[in-house]
């Protein structure tokens, strides 16, 4: 077991070496790496927006607008087709999801069907729906009534096409900002995710993304005074539009479009040579230049309007024909607004309006603070774990620490190689891995000590310890891995980063425990030929304990039942302090530009904005303040307006470190996804334990875990800690940790069932609990050391997340002892085949009976 072929030894250390080389660039600055030769690896982990600052914006396309525009287009197509064939009709209009009209002469039905053949023909959609999509269906009613209906398939195709076009337009707009490595990608059927790291001006980004940028050049109708049109009814073929001035100026605009933004080939910010004001110069393609030239020739002396998203930005008078295909747009622009308008025009118009349904913005200052806090927490946690392992295991603890260092190195190397994004919860995943990874070594070492106490020689004890710990470690880590995988698929953003880090940490932990640790222990034994295991300065748990856990089971059940009932009553009576992730709203973290923030002044100023419930509280130091604005009734756009009002009010006195805006659409989805995530993970773990053990073990593990989840929810209720998406990650981590602990106990129960078939079940369970007590204690303490470092040094943003996990470690340890094991008695475990299939020593070990 301890012998390794030379090729295996080389492979193990080569893996570690490659991990060190891949992870090493993360210790250096980007400028230092750029100065190195090309053959030197220089890839680094991608930092999430919460660490380097930037904006995360989720956009949703307006499908209703797409439907309305398409129905109007079908109506216009039908009008042109029927008039072209001289087919009489009446009542042509859009009604609901259809366009309907009635033929004056029903005998012309076949002629109408032929005239509308182009509209009714399937359209080519490439790979979509097999290449053909029937977009419009025709339904014939009585007395010449015809309905043209937009099909669900056609609507899906139009939305998909619009989303694809929107991604391209958004990409061009974002790239014009000059940021590095932005992420623009489709998300779902109707959304676009935009992530721009290192962005200093998120408001500018939102303004660029929020405008459709439909540009048109249309004539101003001067035949009727505009006020008369406003008071009465605009002449046929005209529309009243307003300028972007303050106050806005009304114009009577002819509906006929001279030239649209589709004919624009270039737009650049510049300055008017006569007035020196900022303007936008533009240039048309050949078709646009001809049409614009003809229109200006025919309308010298008349004003024409330059319209952007149905707002008049300029209405100059045509002094002379403009035949060169170029011109300029003026409109009281600043230098920045001229630049942004040029960006919008160059990037092209969006096919439909994009609404911001979720926004998370982190300033670069807060991002750097988070990095510093995460590093300090990681270093402190690692030091505490290293000291603890040496104290309780001596030389074997040194080996465990070397394996732990290799484990973290491989974890960082894999994250770097995969190009994974490291977020603040991801750092929490690394710190948690530091604590939980020690569990594998603790299991091995405790098993080796037990085998040595049972009389085996040192070599045999080491080999048997590794062999018997393998099954337990695999089972325990797979349950946590299941939770991490489900969390990744059902989670979003930083939560997925946490899941990735935890999952990779589990894989590297199992690898280092059964290759590197085993190799180093074998190397130590071959060099020393020790007659006894290394001693340790500290012994936390005696070698043999006789604690009557099952005698206390009724008390334990009673305490658990009372606490669970109290937690559920508090949950339904009081309710949790739900964050904006689940109820929508706005969260803004600000930092005073002076030495101390004035909370009462902020409350007073914001109360005048009529935003509903606004909570203001200190957050961290005296300069930091956290502002929560309740969800607005007007929907997603109203949430954005509320955030803008707060920022405009406080901008002069405060710096904005973090802004999160979650609309009602996203909040309901996050709540549903979180609930499903917990339920699915519990179900998947139940199936796994059922497969590996027996149904009694599976039911016992799930009941015990549900107890932990209920008490954790009660913890959130009683402490008033905000419950958000990160809290879901904390609960699923607690689920994984609790099951890890329970599976270790169950694995020993299963082993003892096979060895002591005639021992009464309560005594057998007591024996199993005492056998694993040392491991349970060691693992809980190392995990708490790592989480404690994260709680005290990881920063304010992640403190509630860590507090919940610390509570979960205590509850998970308690429930695995006082709930999970006693439940096996309740379910009459003795009658199962796991106790009958295998024979063994039926005599209880000395001192096992209590």
């Amino acid at each position: 077991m301890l012998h390794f072929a030379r090729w295996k030894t080389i492979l193990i250390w080569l893996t570690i070496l490659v991990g060190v080389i891949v992870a090493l660039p993360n210790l250096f600055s980007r400028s230092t790496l750029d100065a190195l030769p090309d053959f030197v690896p220089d890839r680094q982990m991608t930092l999430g927006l919460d660490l380097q600052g930037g904006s995360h914006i989720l956009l949703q396309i307006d499908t209703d607008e797409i439907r309305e525009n398409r129905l109007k287009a079908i109506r216009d197509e039908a009008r042109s087709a029927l008039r072209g064939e001289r087919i009489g009709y009446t009542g042509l209009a859009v009604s609901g999801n259809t366009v309907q009209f009635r033929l004056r002469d029903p005998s012309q039905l076949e002629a109408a069907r032929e005239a509308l053949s182009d509209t009714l023909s399937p359209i080519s959609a490439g790979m979509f729906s097999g290449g053909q999509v029937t977009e419009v269906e025709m339904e014939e009613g009585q007395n010449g009534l015809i309905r043209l209906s937009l099909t669900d398939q056609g609507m899906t195709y139009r939305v998909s096409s619009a989303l694809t076009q929107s991604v391209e337009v958004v990409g061009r707009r974002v790239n014009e900002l000059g940021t590095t490595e932005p992420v623009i990608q489709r998300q779902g059927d109707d959304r676009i995710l935009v992530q721009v790291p290192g962005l200093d001006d998120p408001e500018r980004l939102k303004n660029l993304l929020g405008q459709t940028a439909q540009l048109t050049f249309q004539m101003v109708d001067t035949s009727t005074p505009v006020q008369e049109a406003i008071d009465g009814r605009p002449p046929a073929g005209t529309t009243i539009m307003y300028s972007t001035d303050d106050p806005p100026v009304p114009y009577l605009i002819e509906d006929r479009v001279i030239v649209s933004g589709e004919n624009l080939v270039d737009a650049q910010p510049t300055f008017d040579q006569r007035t020196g004001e900022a303007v936008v110069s533009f240039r048309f393609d050949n078709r646009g230049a001809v049409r614009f030239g003809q229109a200006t020739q025919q309308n010298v002396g008349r004003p024409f309007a330059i319209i952007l998203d149905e707002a008049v930005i300029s209405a100059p008078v045509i002094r002379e024909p403009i035949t060169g295909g170029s011109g300029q747009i003026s409109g009281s622009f600043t230098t920045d607004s001229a630049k942004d308008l040029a960006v919008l025009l160059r990037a092209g118009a969006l096919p439909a309006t994009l609404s911001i349904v979720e926004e998370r913005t982190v300033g670069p200052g807060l991002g750097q603070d988070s990095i510093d806090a995460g590093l300090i927490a990681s270093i402190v946690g690692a030091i505490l774990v290293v000291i603890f392992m040496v104290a309780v295991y001596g030389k074997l603890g040194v080996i465990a620490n070397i394996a732990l260092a290799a484990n973290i190195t491989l974890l960082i190397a894999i994250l770097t190689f995969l190009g994974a994004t490291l977020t603040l919860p991801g750092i929490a995943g690394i710190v948690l891995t530091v604590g939980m990874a020690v569990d594998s070594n603790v299991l091995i070492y405790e098993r080796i000590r037990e085998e040595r106490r049972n009389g085996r020689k040192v070599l045999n004890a080491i080999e048997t310890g590794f062999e018997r710990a393998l099954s337990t470690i695999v089972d325990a880590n797979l349950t946590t891995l299941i939770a991490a995988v489900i969390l990744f698929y059902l989670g979003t953003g930083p939560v997925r980063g946490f899941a990735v880090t935890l999952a990779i940490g589990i894989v590297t932990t199992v690898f280092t425990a059964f290759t590197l640790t085993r190799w180093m222990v074998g190397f130590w034994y071959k060099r020393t030929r020790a007659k006894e295991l290394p001693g340790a300065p500290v012994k936390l748990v005696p070698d043999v304990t006789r604690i009557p856990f099952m005698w206390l089971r009724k008390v334990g059940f009673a305490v658990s039942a009372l606490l669970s009932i109290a937690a559920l009553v508090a949950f339904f009576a009081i309710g949790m302090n739900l964050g904006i992730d689940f109820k929508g709203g706005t969260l803004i973290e600000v930092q005073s530009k002076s030495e101390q923030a004035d909370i009462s002044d902020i409350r007073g100023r914001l109360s005048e904005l009529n935003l509903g419930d606004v909570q203001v509280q200190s957050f961290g130091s005296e300069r930091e303040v956290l502002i929560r604005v309740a969800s607005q009734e007007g929907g997603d756009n109203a949430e954005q307006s509320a955030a803008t009002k707060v920022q405009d009010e406080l901008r002069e006195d405060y710096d904005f470190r973090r802004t999160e805006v979650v609309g009602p659409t996203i909040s309901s989805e996050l709540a549903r996804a979180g609930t499903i995530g917990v339920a699915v993970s519990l179900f998947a773990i139940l199936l796994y334990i059922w497969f590996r053990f027996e149904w009694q073990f599976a039911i016992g593990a799930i009941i015990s875990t549900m107890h932990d989840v209920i008490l954790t929810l009660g913890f959130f209720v009683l402490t008033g800690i905000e419950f958000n998406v990160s809290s879901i990650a904390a609960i699923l981590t607690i689920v994984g940790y609790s099951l890890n602990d329970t599976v270790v106990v169950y694995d020993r129960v299963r082993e003892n069932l096979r060895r002591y078939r005639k021992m009464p079940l309560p005594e057998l369970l007591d024996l199993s609990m005492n056998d694993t007590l040392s491991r349970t204690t060691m693992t809980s303490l190392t995990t708490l050391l790592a989480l404690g470092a994260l709680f005290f040094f990881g920063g304010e943003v992640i403190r509630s997340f860590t507090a919940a996990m610390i509570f979960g470690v205590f509850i998970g340890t308690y429930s695995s002892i006082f709930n999970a094991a006693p439940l096996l008695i309740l379910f009459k475990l003795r009658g199962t085949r796991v106790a009958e299939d295998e024979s063994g020593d039926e005599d209880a070990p000395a001192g096992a009976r209590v």
Side-chain angles (χ1 to χ4, degrees), residues 408-424:
I408 300 301
T409 300
L410 289 175
L411 169 59
I412 294 174
I414 294 174
L415 289 172
T416 303
F417 178 77
L418 294 177
T421 300
L422 181 65
T423 61
L424 194 57

Side-chain angles (χ1 to χ4, degrees), residues 10 38 62 104 188-189 198 222 224 232 338 449 575 690 695-696 719 832:
I10 294 173
D38 293 339
D62 191 337
R104 288 196 173 95
D189 297 328
T222 56
T224 302
R449 284 180 171 181
W690 199 324
W695 69 266
Q696 290 95 334
T719 58
T832 63

Side-chain angles (χ1 to χ4, degrees), residues 302-319:
R302 291 186 58 193
F304 75 98
I306 302 172
I307 301 168
L308 182 69
D309 292 341
E310 299 185 355
V312 178
I313 58 176
S314 181
V317 175
I318 303 172
R319 302 298 181 189

Side-chain angles (χ1 to χ4, degrees), residues 795-817:
E796 193 72 31
V797 175
I798 206 169
R799 186 158 290 152
S800 60
F801 173 86
T802 312
M805 289 201 291
I806 291 174
F807 177 81
V809 170
F810 282 108
I811 292 300
T813 303
Y814 164 84
S815 65
S816 64
I817 296 174

Side-chain angles (χ1 to χ4, degrees), residues 92-345:
L92 178 62
V94 175
S95 176
N97 201 41
T98 64
V99 174
Q100 66 180 29
F101 60 91
R102 190 179 298 274
L103 296 175
R104 288 196 173 95
D105 182 1
S107 64
Q108 289 186 301
L109 179 62
E110 188 61 36
R113 186 184 295 113
E114 181 65 26
L116 297 171
S117 60
D118 289 342
T119 301
L120 298 173
S121 297
I123 55 178
S124 177
M127 297 296 293
F128 185 87
S129 298
Q132 294 288 325
V133 172
T134 301
E135 184 184 17
V136 181
E137 292 180 341
M138 179 174 167
E139 181 183 351
E140 301 167 7
Q142 296 180 348
N143 300 322
L145 180 65
I146 294 178
R147 292 189 181 93
L148 303 177
S149 301
L150 183 61
T151 66
D152 292 339
Q153 187 185 42
M155 185 61 193
T156 301
Y157 165 70
R158 288 293 174 181
V159 171
S160 178
S161 300
L163 194 64
T164 300
Q165 182 182 346
S166 297
V167 169
E168 296 175 356
V169 173
V170 168
R172 288 195 293 268
R173 292 183 184 181
V174 173
N175 290 332
E176 290 281 357
L177 295 176
T179 57
T180 58
E181 300 182 354
V183 175
I184 299 99
Q185 61 188 28
R186 294 178 62 146
Q187 190 168 84
D189 297 328
D190 59 353
R191 291 176 185 162
I192 302 173
L193 174 65
V194 180
Q195 291 183 332
V196 185
L199 185 66
D200 295 329
D201 189 359
E203 286 302 313
R204 185 185 179 200
L205 174 65
K206 289 197 297 182
N207 290 335
L208 286 176
L209 299 180
Q211 295 188 57
T212 309
Q214 295 278 5
L215 180 73
T216 58
F217 294 76
Q218 298 169 234
M219 297 304 302
V220 176
D221 188 340
T222 56
S223 62
T224 302
V226 66
Q227 190 59 46
E228 183 179 320
I230 294 174
D231 296 337
R233 185 175 181 181
T238 64
T239 303
I240 297 172
M241 295 185 184
Y242 291 85
S243 72
T244 56
D245 300 314
D246 188 17
V249 177
Y251 290 92
L252 189 61
I253 306 298
E254 294 182 3
D255 291 341
R256 183 175 63 90
V257 175
I258 301 171
V259 189
S260 70
E262 296 177 357
N263 302 114
L264 210 65
V265 294
D266 190 28
Q268 296 292 336
T270 184
F271 293 94
D272 190 299
Q273 295 182 355
R274 296 169 298 173
T275 63
E277 66 176 352
V279 296
V280 176
S281 62
F282 61 86
R283 182 164 54 86
F284 291 120
D285 58 16
N286 290 336
R287 183 172 176 226
V290 170
R291 296 180 63 181
F292 191 62
Q294 290 174 346
T296 54
Q297 271 184 333
Q298 298 167 3
N299 295 281
V300 172
R302 291 186 58 193
F304 75 98
I306 302 172
I307 301 168
L308 182 69
D309 292 341
E310 299 185 355
V312 178
I313 58 176
S314 181
V317 175
I318 303 172
R319 302 298 181 189
E320 58 185 15
I322 305 174
T323 57
S326 62
Q328 67 181 31
I329 303 172
S330 59
S332 302
F333 296 121
T334 64
T335 303
D336 289 338
S337 63
K339 289 180 181 178
D340 290 345
L341 177 58
V343 167
L344 290 172
L345 298 182

Side-chain angles (χ1 to χ4, degrees), residues 366 369-377 424 619-620 788-803:
L366 179 59
D369 290 347
S370 299
I371 294 175
D372 296 340
L375 288 175
I376 292 173
L424 194 57
F619 187 74
L790 195 64
F791 179 82
F792 289 106
F793 302 102
E796 193 72 31
V797 175
I798 206 169
R799 186 158 290 152
S800 60
F801 173 86
T802 312

